Amino acid sequence: MSEAPTRPNRGYGRWTPAWFLAPAVLALLLIGIYPTIFALVTSFRRYNITRPRDGFPFIGFENYISVLTDSTFWSSLFLTAQFYVTVLPIQIMLGLIIALLLHKPGMGLLKSLARVTLVVPLATTYAVVGLIGRLIFNRDFGVANQLFEAIGVGKIDWLSSPTGAFAAIAIMDIWQWTPFCALIFLAGLSMVPGEIEEAARLETSSKLALLRYVQLPYLLPGLTAVMILRSADVLKLFDMVFVMTRGGPGSATDLISIYIQRVGFRIFDLGTASAQAILLLIITIIISRLYIRLFYREVH
Amino acid sequence: MRLSSGKLLHAVGLTAVVLFSLFPFYWMVAASFKTQADILASPPVWVFTPTLQNYADIFADTKVSGAIINSLIVATSSTVLAVLLGAPAAFALARYDFRGKSDLWFWFISNRMISPIVLALPVYLLAIQVGLLDTHLVLILIYLTFNLPIVVWICTDQFKSIPSDLEQAARLDGANQFIIFRKIYLPLGAPGIAVSAIFSFIFSWNELLYALVLTRRNVQTAPVVATSFMSGYELPWGKIMATGTVIVLPVTIFALIVSRHMVRGLTMGATK
């Protein structure tokens, strides 16, 4: 500190990076952090905008206590977790199968076509996925029931029975996100050095052994990425489910984002909803720290 | 040439992938060309006489066309703003060393993980207070919370790949950092900037929760209007599916353009 700086001239001053960074940092602080602080403050108030006459008094941890003792809050968190453990294994399995199909040599044109079509589910607007779900899973004229009847399962009351509705949103989520898993795994498979894969193919004719001993190590980073990213996405999941079921019937598809939205914007109990949102934020921060720790430890 | 059973299985598998990916999408587009009677037919009809009536109806409906214009305004403005703010930040992250750099980078990226409902509540209250509820501006700004991270991530990556000799040569010619950014990094980083812009556009175009909460009558975006059809008894299915098709078509085309970058964009480089 006391010595004169003797570092080489890098062609820029000490504050130059700040000039480039300041606009983005200030914007995100204002748009992201300021509202978060506002939510934190609101979470300590009684804040129901349908009853402005009460004022918005500070009530300490009362909102948090009522949220943490609210069985609906816990059950929608539990339902979110249940959704995650339902869709994720299927997405991973299907994604892996598709990736292996796409990785296999041959079938040039058909393979390119399959690869390109994988982008379609990923690009489809989430709300529109919900609309499609409403059409496909209609009890009377939905094509899902036609297909199920064809294989002898019979009519299912998709959107108006709890299990049916849960299955329907799970199927739409699997449709939308399996391609993502497939593309990640495909990227992993293409990292396997060609010579090693060739040599392994000569050694063994077992596809399973090849997968387990040669390809799996290259698939693991992608697998971790899928698990963490999907867990953050499921916590955010709103659009498709809102359009398809609004959280119903009853609370069968009342995932955490849907529940908080209902408390905030149907019941207008913004104090309670803010406390819920802050708790959700804490869960998200834990997950994203995990994400950073797993992926970016070695960067920089 | 003999078609071995392995090859046949491969072809069947790939065909199944194509059907899996396209079927729901196809079913929507098909329904958009059906009459209400054809849509309500039970069991569903696969062969029908297509009609353009649904498209004529929605394009005549000022609510739908207005919503599409709103979506265009919001998504384009937010994308432009994200690039204007994000590209310089990415330049700094790619080219300079300073304390706390990796923390700053993490902070940018972690914004993508936050659930919209967390910010929607306070932004709703703030928007009421400052009179921004139901304006384009409030959506343009809030969409920066997920657009800025994607621009910063993709552009940092792109700028890092630009060789530094060019920069040194320019410096010897007396160019300052701002000129170097404008004359070297912006043009050479253009592909990455374009990809990040397309991603920003897609994310903004698809967003529902913020738009649902922060808009009322004037600034409803396309997903909000499509969703609003979903109440009442006799649902206008053909119109709903035509609207859905119109919403999805442009983003699908964009997504196909950036499909090679799709995984990188969605994972923010988690799989290197």
Side-chain angles (χ1 to χ4, degrees), chain A residues 10-12 35 101 107 117 125 140-141 146 175 183-184 236 239 265 270 284 291 296, chain B residues 7 10 20-21 39-40 42 44 46 96 112-113 121-122 171 177 206 208 213 263 267-268:
Chain A
R10 296 163 305 177
Y12 59 87
L101 277 171
M107 301 283 157
T117 54
T125 311
D140 300 314
F141 58 83
Q146 190 186 27
W175 175 71
L183 291 170
I184 283 194
K236 287 198 282 191
D239 304 6
F265 296 101
L270 291 160
T284 314
Y291 168 81
Y296 292 111
Chain B
K7 267 194 172 166
H10 192 195
F20 169 83
S21 303
I39 293 174
L40 298 182
S42 172
W46 293 71
Y96 302 125
R112 188 194 170 247
M113 311 283 278
L121 291 155
R171 230 163 60 201
Q177 294 296 307
N206 287 352
L208 175 69
V213 165
V263 169
T267 56
M268 299 236 169

mmCIF file of all heavy atoms in Angstrom, chain A residues 10-12 35 101 107 117 125 140-141 146 175 183-184 236 239 265 270 284 291 296, chain B residues 7 10 20-21 39-40 42 44 46 96 112-113 121-122 171 177 206 208 213 263 267-268:
data_model
loop_
_atom_site.group_PDB
_atom_site.id
_atom_site.type_symbol
_atom_site.label_atom_id
_atom_site.label_comp_id
_atom_site.label_asym_id
_atom_site.label_seq_id
_atom_site.Cartn_x
_atom_site.Cartn_y
_atom_site.Cartn_z
ATOM 1 N N ARG A 10 -1.296 -1.185 -18.019
ATOM 2 C CA ARG A 10 -2.212 -2.092 -18.693
ATOM 3 C C ARG A 10 -3.088 -1.361 -19.711
ATOM 4 O O ARG A 10 -3.956 -1.931 -20.323
ATOM 5 C CB ARG A 10 -3.133 -2.776 -17.676
ATOM 6 C CG ARG A 10 -2.381 -3.673 -16.717
ATOM 7 C CD ARG A 10 -3.239 -3.969 -15.508
ATOM 8 N NE ARG A 10 -3.692 -2.725 -14.888
ATOM 9 C CZ ARG A 10 -4.500 -2.682 -13.861
ATOM 10 N NH1 ARG A 10 -4.967 -3.795 -13.332
ATOM 11 N NH2 ARG A 10 -4.868 -1.532 -13.327
ATOM 12 N N GLY A 11 -2.855 -0.078 -19.794
ATOM 13 C CA GLY A 11 -3.612 0.669 -20.774
ATOM 14 C C GLY A 11 -4.937 1.182 -20.255
ATOM 15 O O GLY A 11 -5.747 1.702 -21.005
ATOM 16 N N TYR A 12 -5.175 0.976 -18.957
ATOM 17 C CA TYR A 12 -6.407 1.537 -18.409
ATOM 18 C C TYR A 12 -6.224 1.886 -16.957
ATOM 19 O O TYR A 12 -5.347 1.372 -16.276
ATOM 20 C CB TYR A 12 -7.582 0.578 -18.582
ATOM 21 C CG TYR A 12 -7.401 -0.775 -17.930
ATOM 22 C CD1 TYR A 12 -7.757 -0.969 -16.605
ATOM 23 C CD2 TYR A 12 -6.913 -1.854 -18.662
ATOM 24 C CE1 TYR A 12 -7.609 -2.215 -16.013
ATOM 25 C CE2 TYR A 12 -6.772 -3.103 -18.071
ATOM 26 C CZ TYR A 12 -7.115 -3.280 -16.753
ATOM 27 O OH TYR A 12 -6.982 -4.498 -16.168
ATOM 28 N N PRO A 35 -36.566 -4.080 -4.676
ATOM 29 C CA PRO A 35 -37.830 -4.766 -4.389
ATOM 30 C C PRO A 35 -37.684 -5.890 -3.366
ATOM 31 O O PRO A 35 -38.603 -6.121 -2.575
ATOM 32 C CB PRO A 35 -38.247 -5.331 -5.751
ATOM 33 C CG PRO A 35 -37.587 -4.464 -6.735
ATOM 34 C CD PRO A 35 -36.280 -4.084 -6.117
ATOM 35 N N LEU A 101 -29.643 -42.231 -28.841
ATOM 36 C CA LEU A 101 -30.127 -42.408 -30.215
ATOM 37 C C LEU A 101 -29.491 -41.397 -31.163
ATOM 38 O O LEU A 101 -29.139 -41.708 -32.289
ATOM 39 C CB LEU A 101 -31.650 -42.236 -30.257
ATOM 40 C CG LEU A 101 -32.509 -43.443 -29.880
ATOM 41 C CD1 LEU A 101 -33.966 -43.026 -29.772
ATOM 42 C CD2 LEU A 101 -32.347 -44.550 -30.908
ATOM 43 N N MET A 107 -27.944 -42.722 -40.024
ATOM 44 C CA MET A 107 -29.261 -42.080 -40.094
ATOM 45 C C MET A 107 -29.162 -40.568 -40.215
ATOM 46 O O MET A 107 -29.910 -39.834 -39.568
ATOM 47 C CB MET A 107 -30.094 -42.411 -38.842
ATOM 48 C CG MET A 107 -30.346 -43.847 -38.605
ATOM 49 S SD MET A 107 -31.623 -44.463 -39.681
ATOM 50 C CE MET A 107 -31.216 -46.192 -39.666
ATOM 51 N N THR A 117 -36.127 -30.971 -34.141
ATOM 52 C CA THR A 117 -37.466 -30.919 -33.547
ATOM 53 C C THR A 117 -37.416 -30.850 -32.026
ATOM 54 O O THR A 117 -38.369 -30.414 -31.401
ATOM 55 C CB THR A 117 -38.320 -32.144 -33.961
ATOM 56 O OG1 THR A 117 -37.602 -33.330 -33.643
ATOM 57 C CG2 THR A 117 -38.648 -32.112 -35.430
ATOM 58 N N THR A 125 -43.932 -21.331 -25.782
ATOM 59 C CA THR A 125 -44.317 -20.463 -24.667
ATOM 60 C C THR A 125 -45.004 -21.277 -23.571
ATOM 61 O O THR A 125 -45.946 -22.015 -23.847
ATOM 62 C CB THR A 125 -45.283 -19.394 -25.197
ATOM 63 O OG1 THR A 125 -44.714 -18.819 -26.365
ATOM 64 C CG2 THR A 125 -45.539 -18.328 -24.171
ATOM 65 N N ASP A 140 -63.650 -35.133 -22.623
ATOM 66 C CA ASP A 140 -64.524 -35.650 -23.669
ATOM 67 C C ASP A 140 -63.877 -35.673 -25.047
ATOM 68 O O ASP A 140 -63.936 -36.675 -25.742
ATOM 69 C CB ASP A 140 -65.806 -34.809 -23.725
ATOM 70 C CG ASP A 140 -66.535 -34.872 -22.400
ATOM 71 O OD1 ASP A 140 -66.667 -35.988 -21.866
ATOM 72 O OD2 ASP A 140 -66.944 -33.811 -21.888
ATOM 73 N N PHE A 141 -63.287 -34.554 -25.458
ATOM 74 C CA PHE A 141 -62.761 -34.522 -26.815
ATOM 75 C C PHE A 141 -61.231 -34.504 -26.858
ATOM 76 O O PHE A 141 -60.645 -34.275 -27.912
ATOM 77 C CB PHE A 141 -63.349 -33.335 -27.598
ATOM 78 C CG PHE A 141 -63.094 -31.996 -26.965
ATOM 79 C CD1 PHE A 141 -61.890 -31.343 -27.169
ATOM 80 C CD2 PHE A 141 -64.062 -31.383 -26.180
ATOM 81 C CE1 PHE A 141 -61.654 -30.111 -26.592
ATOM 82 C CE2 PHE A 141 -63.820 -30.147 -25.606
ATOM 83 C CZ PHE A 141 -62.615 -29.511 -25.811
ATOM 84 N N GLN A 146 -58.401 -40.487 -26.155
ATOM 85 C CA GLN A 146 -58.550 -41.338 -27.339
ATOM 86 C C GLN A 146 -57.403 -42.351 -27.411
ATOM 87 O O GLN A 146 -57.610 -43.533 -27.640
ATOM 88 C CB GLN A 146 -58.582 -40.486 -28.603
ATOM 89 C CG GLN A 146 -58.971 -41.280 -29.845
ATOM 90 C CD GLN A 146 -58.864 -40.456 -31.118
ATOM 91 O OE1 GLN A 146 -58.088 -39.516 -31.191
ATOM 92 N NE2 GLN A 146 -59.654 -40.824 -32.113
ATOM 93 N N TRP A 175 -42.842 -33.374 -21.428
ATOM 94 C CA TRP A 175 -42.754 -33.063 -22.863
ATOM 95 C C TRP A 175 -41.834 -31.856 -23.093
ATOM 96 O O TRP A 175 -40.962 -31.880 -23.954
ATOM 97 C CB TRP A 175 -44.147 -32.758 -23.453
ATOM 98 C CG TRP A 175 -44.059 -32.318 -24.878
ATOM 99 C CD1 TRP A 175 -43.736 -33.097 -25.946
ATOM 100 C CD2 TRP A 175 -44.254 -31.003 -25.397
ATOM 101 N NE1 TRP A 175 -43.728 -32.343 -27.105
ATOM 102 C CE2 TRP A 175 -44.042 -31.059 -26.789
ATOM 103 C CE3 TRP A 175 -44.600 -29.775 -24.811
ATOM 104 C CZ2 TRP A 175 -44.161 -29.932 -27.620
ATOM 105 C CZ3 TRP A 175 -44.713 -28.658 -25.634
ATOM 106 C CH2 TRP A 175 -44.496 -28.745 -27.015
ATOM 107 N N LEU A 183 -30.436 -32.797 -24.900
ATOM 108 C CA LEU A 183 -29.386 -31.982 -25.514
ATOM 109 C C LEU A 183 -28.166 -31.861 -24.608
ATOM 110 O O LEU A 183 -27.025 -31.864 -25.072
ATOM 111 C CB LEU A 183 -29.942 -30.600 -25.887
ATOM 112 C CG LEU A 183 -30.953 -30.614 -27.047
ATOM 113 C CD1 LEU A 183 -31.643 -29.268 -27.210
ATOM 114 C CD2 LEU A 183 -30.272 -31.008 -28.357
ATOM 115 N N ILE A 184 -28.408 -31.774 -23.291
ATOM 116 C CA ILE A 184 -27.278 -31.723 -22.355
ATOM 117 C C ILE A 184 -26.488 -33.029 -22.393
ATOM 118 O O ILE A 184 -25.255 -33.039 -22.467
ATOM 119 C CB ILE A 184 -27.766 -31.438 -20.923
ATOM 120 C CG1 ILE A 184 -28.114 -29.960 -20.788
ATOM 121 C CG2 ILE A 184 -26.702 -31.825 -19.902
ATOM 122 C CD1 ILE A 184 -28.281 -29.500 -19.372
ATOM 123 N N LYS A 236 -39.841 -22.312 -9.636
ATOM 124 C CA LYS A 236 -40.390 -21.156 -10.345
ATOM 125 C C LYS A 236 -41.651 -21.499 -11.118
ATOM 126 O O LYS A 236 -42.359 -20.611 -11.571
ATOM 127 C CB LYS A 236 -39.362 -20.639 -11.369
ATOM 128 C CG LYS A 236 -38.195 -19.924 -10.786
ATOM 129 C CD LYS A 236 -37.500 -19.093 -11.845
ATOM 130 C CE LYS A 236 -36.624 -19.923 -12.749
ATOM 131 N NZ LYS A 236 -35.745 -19.088 -13.599
ATOM 132 N N ASP A 239 -46.391 -20.667 -15.054
ATOM 133 C CA ASP A 239 -47.195 -20.369 -16.244
ATOM 134 C C ASP A 239 -48.032 -21.550 -16.724
ATOM 135 O O ASP A 239 -49.250 -21.453 -16.861
ATOM 136 C CB ASP A 239 -46.294 -19.909 -17.405
ATOM 137 C CG ASP A 239 -45.443 -18.719 -17.036
ATOM 138 O OD1 ASP A 239 -45.468 -18.326 -15.850
ATOM 139 O OD2 ASP A 239 -44.756 -18.183 -17.907
ATOM 140 N N PHE A 265 -52.357 -12.277 -4.728
ATOM 141 C CA PHE A 265 -53.137 -11.533 -5.720
ATOM 142 C C PHE A 265 -54.591 -11.971 -5.826
ATOM 143 O O PHE A 265 -55.345 -11.425 -6.613
ATOM 144 C CB PHE A 265 -52.450 -11.595 -7.076
ATOM 145 C CG PHE A 265 -51.121 -10.919 -7.060
ATOM 146 C CD1 PHE A 265 -49.952 -11.648 -6.971
ATOM 147 C CD2 PHE A 265 -51.033 -9.533 -7.083
ATOM 148 C CE1 PHE A 265 -48.724 -11.021 -6.928
ATOM 149 C CE2 PHE A 265 -49.818 -8.897 -7.035
ATOM 150 C CZ PHE A 265 -48.650 -9.633 -6.954
ATOM 151 N N LEU A 270 -50.725 -9.340 1.239
ATOM 152 C CA LEU A 270 -49.360 -9.185 0.736
ATOM 153 C C LEU A 270 -48.310 -9.379 1.820
ATOM 154 O O LEU A 270 -47.182 -9.752 1.529
ATOM 155 C CB LEU A 270 -49.208 -7.827 0.060
ATOM 156 C CG LEU A 270 -49.999 -7.757 -1.253
ATOM 157 C CD1 LEU A 270 -50.254 -6.317 -1.652
ATOM 158 C CD2 LEU A 270 -49.256 -8.463 -2.365
ATOM 159 N N THR A 284 -34.249 -20.800 -2.629
ATOM 160 C CA THR A 284 -33.605 -20.627 -3.936
ATOM 161 C C THR A 284 -32.134 -20.282 -3.784
ATOM 162 O O THR A 284 -31.291 -20.774 -4.527
ATOM 163 C CB THR A 284 -34.306 -19.509 -4.738
ATOM 164 O OG1 THR A 284 -35.708 -19.694 -4.647
ATOM 165 C CG2 THR A 284 -33.876 -19.536 -6.185
ATOM 166 N N TYR A 291 -25.411 -24.724 -6.673
ATOM 167 C CA TYR A 291 -25.157 -24.704 -8.107
ATOM 168 C C TYR A 291 -23.797 -24.091 -8.396
ATOM 169 O O TYR A 291 -22.969 -24.665 -9.098
ATOM 170 C CB TYR A 291 -26.288 -23.892 -8.734
ATOM 171 C CG TYR A 291 -26.137 -23.464 -10.161
ATOM 172 C CD1 TYR A 291 -26.417 -24.347 -11.188
ATOM 173 C CD2 TYR A 291 -25.783 -22.160 -10.480
ATOM 174 C CE1 TYR A 291 -26.340 -23.947 -12.501
ATOM 175 C CE2 TYR A 291 -25.701 -21.748 -11.785
ATOM 176 C CZ TYR A 291 -25.973 -22.635 -12.801
ATOM 177 O OH TYR A 291 -25.888 -22.236 -14.088
ATOM 178 N N TYR A 296 -18.825 -23.790 -10.514
ATOM 179 C CA TYR A 296 -17.949 -22.673 -10.816
ATOM 180 C C TYR A 296 -16.757 -22.576 -9.889
ATOM 181 O O TYR A 296 -16.067 -21.603 -9.875
ATOM 182 C CB TYR A 296 -18.738 -21.367 -10.795
ATOM 183 C CG TYR A 296 -19.708 -21.285 -11.925
ATOM 184 C CD1 TYR A 296 -21.065 -21.349 -11.701
ATOM 185 C CD2 TYR A 296 -19.249 -21.153 -13.230
ATOM 186 C CE1 TYR A 296 -21.955 -21.289 -12.742
ATOM 187 C CE2 TYR A 296 -20.133 -21.092 -14.279
ATOM 188 C CZ TYR A 296 -21.480 -21.164 -14.035
ATOM 189 O OH TYR A 296 -22.359 -21.101 -15.066
ATOM 190 N N LYS B 7 -30.477 -51.165 -37.227
ATOM 191 C CA LYS B 7 -30.744 -49.925 -37.963
ATOM 192 C C LYS B 7 -32.222 -49.579 -37.930
ATOM 193 O O LYS B 7 -32.603 -48.429 -37.782
ATOM 194 C CB LYS B 7 -30.283 -50.084 -39.418
ATOM 195 C CG LYS B 7 -28.868 -49.594 -39.626
ATOM 196 C CD LYS B 7 -28.589 -49.446 -41.097
ATOM 197 C CE LYS B 7 -27.247 -48.779 -41.312
ATOM 198 N NZ LYS B 7 -26.796 -48.909 -42.690
ATOM 199 N N HIS B 10 -33.097 -48.174 -34.659
ATOM 200 C CA HIS B 10 -32.586 -46.809 -34.591
ATOM 201 C C HIS B 10 -33.537 -45.848 -35.295
ATOM 202 O O HIS B 10 -33.877 -44.779 -34.774
ATOM 203 C CB HIS B 10 -31.193 -46.783 -35.239
ATOM 204 C CG HIS B 10 -30.431 -45.521 -34.981
ATOM 205 N ND1 HIS B 10 -29.309 -45.183 -35.703
ATOM 206 C CD2 HIS B 10 -30.626 -44.525 -34.102
ATOM 207 C CE1 HIS B 10 -28.855 -44.019 -35.268
ATOM 208 N NE2 HIS B 10 -29.639 -43.600 -34.289
ATOM 209 N N PHE B 20 -42.729 -37.413 -30.754
ATOM 210 C CA PHE B 20 -42.809 -36.926 -29.370
ATOM 211 C C PHE B 20 -42.672 -35.402 -29.319
ATOM 212 O O PHE B 20 -43.448 -34.711 -28.679
ATOM 213 C CB PHE B 20 -41.699 -37.603 -28.546
ATOM 214 C CG PHE B 20 -41.473 -37.034 -27.176
ATOM 215 C CD1 PHE B 20 -42.270 -37.422 -26.104
ATOM 216 C CD2 PHE B 20 -40.448 -36.127 -26.943
ATOM 217 C CE1 PHE B 20 -42.047 -36.912 -24.838
ATOM 218 C CE2 PHE B 20 -40.227 -35.608 -25.679
ATOM 219 C CZ PHE B 20 -41.040 -36.009 -24.625
ATOM 220 N N SER B 21 -41.673 -34.882 -30.031
ATOM 221 C CA SER B 21 -41.422 -33.442 -29.981
ATOM 222 C C SER B 21 -42.518 -32.641 -30.669
ATOM 223 O O SER B 21 -42.864 -31.547 -30.233
ATOM 224 C CB SER B 21 -40.099 -33.099 -30.664
ATOM 225 O OG SER B 21 -39.051 -33.801 -30.088
ATOM 226 N N ILE B 39 -63.530 -29.543 -33.350
ATOM 227 C CA ILE B 39 -62.711 -29.627 -32.131
ATOM 228 C C ILE B 39 -63.467 -30.369 -31.037
ATOM 229 O O ILE B 39 -62.886 -31.178 -30.309
ATOM 230 C CB ILE B 39 -62.312 -28.219 -31.641
ATOM 231 C CG1 ILE B 39 -61.361 -27.574 -32.652
ATOM 232 C CG2 ILE B 39 -61.654 -28.283 -30.270
ATOM 233 C CD1 ILE B 39 -61.012 -26.146 -32.341
ATOM 234 N N LEU B 40 -64.765 -30.106 -30.939
ATOM 235 C CA LEU B 40 -65.550 -30.725 -29.869
ATOM 236 C C LEU B 40 -65.980 -32.157 -30.193
ATOM 237 O O LEU B 40 -66.619 -32.807 -29.374
ATOM 238 C CB LEU B 40 -66.786 -29.879 -29.551
ATOM 239 C CG LEU B 40 -66.519 -28.463 -29.039
ATOM 240 C CD1 LEU B 40 -67.818 -27.748 -28.724
ATOM 241 C CD2 LEU B 40 -65.626 -28.481 -27.796
ATOM 242 N N SER B 42 -66.231 -35.969 -30.441
ATOM 243 C CA SER B 42 -65.727 -37.034 -29.581
ATOM 244 C C SER B 42 -66.106 -38.380 -30.193
ATOM 245 O O SER B 42 -67.274 -38.617 -30.438
ATOM 246 C CB SER B 42 -66.350 -36.895 -28.179
ATOM 247 O OG SER B 42 -66.021 -38.005 -27.389
ATOM 248 N N PRO B 44 -61.925 -37.517 -30.989
ATOM 249 C CA PRO B 44 -61.317 -36.461 -31.793
ATOM 250 C C PRO B 44 -61.149 -36.852 -33.265
ATOM 251 O O PRO B 44 -60.914 -38.018 -33.564
ATOM 252 C CB PRO B 44 -59.944 -36.282 -31.146
ATOM 253 C CG PRO B 44 -60.067 -36.841 -29.793
ATOM 254 C CD PRO B 44 -61.080 -37.923 -29.862
ATOM 255 N N TRP B 46 -59.172 -36.712 -36.838
ATOM 256 C CA TRP B 46 -57.805 -36.534 -37.356
ATOM 257 C C TRP B 46 -57.843 -35.959 -38.764
ATOM 258 O O TRP B 46 -56.917 -35.288 -39.194
ATOM 259 C CB TRP B 46 -57.061 -37.859 -37.355
ATOM 260 C CG TRP B 46 -56.811 -38.340 -35.962
ATOM 261 C CD1 TRP B 46 -57.735 -38.828 -35.080
ATOM 262 C CD2 TRP B 46 -55.570 -38.326 -35.251
ATOM 263 N NE1 TRP B 46 -57.150 -39.136 -33.877
ATOM 264 C CE2 TRP B 46 -55.808 -38.839 -33.954
ATOM 265 C CE3 TRP B 46 -54.261 -37.943 -35.594
ATOM 266 C CZ2 TRP B 46 -54.814 -38.976 -33.005
ATOM 267 C CZ3 TRP B 46 -53.261 -38.088 -34.631
ATOM 268 C CH2 TRP B 46 -53.542 -38.596 -33.357
ATOM 269 N N TYR B 96 -10.912 -7.350 -17.719
ATOM 270 C CA TYR B 96 -10.181 -6.740 -16.614
ATOM 271 C C TYR B 96 -10.063 -7.693 -15.445
ATOM 272 O O TYR B 96 -10.891 -8.577 -15.271
ATOM 273 C CB TYR B 96 -10.883 -5.467 -16.129
ATOM 274 C CG TYR B 96 -11.071 -4.420 -17.187
ATOM 275 C CD1 TYR B 96 -12.333 -3.928 -17.449
ATOM 276 C CD2 TYR B 96 -9.990 -3.927 -17.909
ATOM 277 C CE1 TYR B 96 -12.526 -2.954 -18.418
ATOM 278 C CE2 TYR B 96 -10.173 -2.959 -18.882
ATOM 279 C CZ TYR B 96 -11.445 -2.477 -19.129
ATOM 280 O OH TYR B 96 -11.620 -1.533 -20.079
ATOM 281 N N ARG B 112 -30.905 -15.247 -12.359
ATOM 282 C CA ARG B 112 -31.779 -16.069 -13.173
ATOM 283 C C ARG B 112 -32.520 -17.125 -12.354
ATOM 284 O O ARG B 112 -33.550 -17.642 -12.763
ATOM 285 C CB ARG B 112 -30.967 -16.763 -14.268
ATOM 286 C CG ARG B 112 -31.859 -17.489 -15.256
ATOM 287 C CD ARG B 112 -31.106 -18.456 -16.141
ATOM 288 N NE ARG B 112 -32.058 -19.270 -16.875
ATOM 289 C CZ ARG B 112 -32.221 -20.564 -16.713
ATOM 290 N NH1 ARG B 112 -31.489 -21.209 -15.847
ATOM 291 N NH2 ARG B 112 -33.100 -21.217 -17.400
ATOM 292 N N MET B 113 -31.960 -17.455 -11.192
ATOM 293 C CA MET B 113 -32.547 -18.530 -10.391
ATOM 294 C C MET B 113 -33.777 -18.067 -9.602
ATOM 295 O O MET B 113 -34.566 -18.888 -9.159
ATOM 296 C CB MET B 113 -31.509 -19.071 -9.401
ATOM 297 C CG MET B 113 -30.160 -19.394 -9.988
ATOM 298 S SD MET B 113 -30.121 -20.927 -10.906
ATOM 299 C CE MET B 113 -29.911 -22.109 -9.584
ATOM 300 N N LEU B 121 -44.421 -9.500 -6.127
ATOM 301 C CA LEU B 121 -45.173 -8.866 -5.042
ATOM 302 C C LEU B 121 -44.693 -7.447 -4.759
ATOM 303 O O LEU B 121 -45.475 -6.504 -4.865
ATOM 304 C CB LEU B 121 -45.074 -9.727 -3.770
ATOM 305 C CG LEU B 121 -45.798 -11.073 -3.763
ATOM 306 C CD1 LEU B 121 -45.145 -12.029 -2.788
ATOM 307 C CD2 LEU B 121 -47.252 -10.851 -3.394
ATOM 308 N N PRO B 122 -43.406 -7.271 -4.402
ATOM 309 C CA PRO B 122 -42.977 -5.903 -4.103
ATOM 310 C C PRO B 122 -43.033 -4.986 -5.326
ATOM 311 O O PRO B 122 -43.380 -3.809 -5.183
ATOM 312 C CB PRO B 122 -41.536 -6.071 -3.612
ATOM 313 C CG PRO B 122 -41.092 -7.391 -4.109
ATOM 314 C CD PRO B 122 -42.320 -8.235 -4.154
ATOM 315 N N ARG B 171 -4.078 -0.223 -28.848
ATOM 316 C CA ARG B 171 -3.593 0.592 -27.743
ATOM 317 C C ARG B 171 -2.340 1.365 -28.149
ATOM 318 O O ARG B 171 -2.156 2.520 -27.777
ATOM 319 C CB ARG B 171 -3.308 -0.287 -26.533
ATOM 320 C CG ARG B 171 -3.955 0.253 -25.286
ATOM 321 C CD ARG B 171 -4.032 -0.776 -24.214
ATOM 322 N NE ARG B 171 -2.692 -1.252 -23.843
ATOM 323 C CZ ARG B 171 -2.493 -2.403 -23.232
ATOM 324 N NH1 ARG B 171 -3.527 -3.174 -22.944
ATOM 325 N NH2 ARG B 171 -1.291 -2.784 -22.900
ATOM 326 N N GLN B 177 -9.937 2.673 -23.848
ATOM 327 C CA GLN B 177 -10.737 1.480 -23.627
ATOM 328 C C GLN B 177 -12.114 1.554 -24.280
ATOM 329 O O GLN B 177 -12.648 0.557 -24.731
ATOM 330 C CB GLN B 177 -10.889 1.231 -22.121
ATOM 331 C CG GLN B 177 -9.580 0.883 -21.453
ATOM 332 C CD GLN B 177 -9.017 -0.435 -21.974
ATOM 333 O OE1 GLN B 177 -9.677 -1.450 -21.974
ATOM 334 N NE2 GLN B 177 -7.776 -0.406 -22.438
ATOM 335 N N ASN B 206 -42.093 -15.098 -23.807
ATOM 336 C CA ASN B 206 -42.788 -16.222 -23.188
ATOM 337 C C ASN B 206 -43.296 -15.931 -21.778
ATOM 338 O O ASN B 206 -44.029 -16.731 -21.224
ATOM 339 C CB ASN B 206 -41.851 -17.441 -23.122
ATOM 340 C CG ASN B 206 -41.654 -18.064 -24.478
ATOM 341 O OD1 ASN B 206 -42.318 -17.702 -25.437
ATOM 342 N ND2 ASN B 206 -40.742 -19.022 -24.560
ATOM 343 N N LEU B 208 -45.124 -15.017 -18.397
ATOM 344 C CA LEU B 208 -46.525 -14.804 -18.035
ATOM 345 C C LEU B 208 -46.732 -14.178 -16.656
ATOM 346 O O LEU B 208 -47.499 -13.229 -16.525
ATOM 347 C CB LEU B 208 -47.306 -16.125 -18.104
ATOM 348 C CG LEU B 208 -48.769 -16.046 -17.625
ATOM 349 C CD1 LEU B 208 -49.628 -15.236 -18.579
ATOM 350 C CD2 LEU B 208 -49.372 -17.435 -17.467
ATOM 351 N N VAL B 213 -49.469 -10.088 -13.376
ATOM 352 C CA VAL B 213 -49.604 -9.333 -12.138
ATOM 353 C C VAL B 213 -49.469 -7.829 -12.373
ATOM 354 O O VAL B 213 -50.160 -7.025 -11.756
ATOM 355 C CB VAL B 213 -48.526 -9.822 -11.136
ATOM 356 C CG1 VAL B 213 -48.379 -8.855 -9.988
ATOM 357 C CG2 VAL B 213 -48.852 -11.220 -10.643
ATOM 358 N N VAL B 263 -28.515 -25.171 -25.380
ATOM 359 C CA VAL B 263 -28.137 -25.748 -24.092
ATOM 360 C C VAL B 263 -27.244 -24.794 -23.308
ATOM 361 O O VAL B 263 -27.464 -24.549 -22.124
ATOM 362 C CB VAL B 263 -27.436 -27.105 -24.301
ATOM 363 C CG1 VAL B 263 -26.805 -27.580 -23.010
ATOM 364 C CG2 VAL B 263 -28.438 -28.128 -24.787
ATOM 365 N N THR B 267 -28.359 -23.360 -19.689
ATOM 366 C CA THR B 267 -27.621 -23.790 -18.508
ATOM 367 C C THR B 267 -26.672 -22.708 -18.023
ATOM 368 O O THR B 267 -26.085 -22.839 -16.978
ATOM 369 C CB THR B 267 -26.745 -25.021 -18.798
ATOM 370 O OG1 THR B 267 -25.887 -24.692 -19.883
ATOM 371 C CG2 THR B 267 -27.572 -26.222 -19.136
ATOM 372 N N MET B 268 -26.544 -21.638 -18.799
ATOM 373 C CA MET B 268 -25.557 -20.610 -18.496
ATOM 374 C C MET B 268 -24.190 -21.257 -18.365
ATOM 375 O O MET B 268 -23.428 -20.967 -17.459
ATOM 376 C CB MET B 268 -25.913 -19.889 -17.209
ATOM 377 C CG MET B 268 -27.240 -19.208 -17.322
ATOM 378 S SD MET B 268 -27.029 -17.498 -16.963
ATOM 379 C CE MET B 268 -28.578 -16.861 -17.465
#
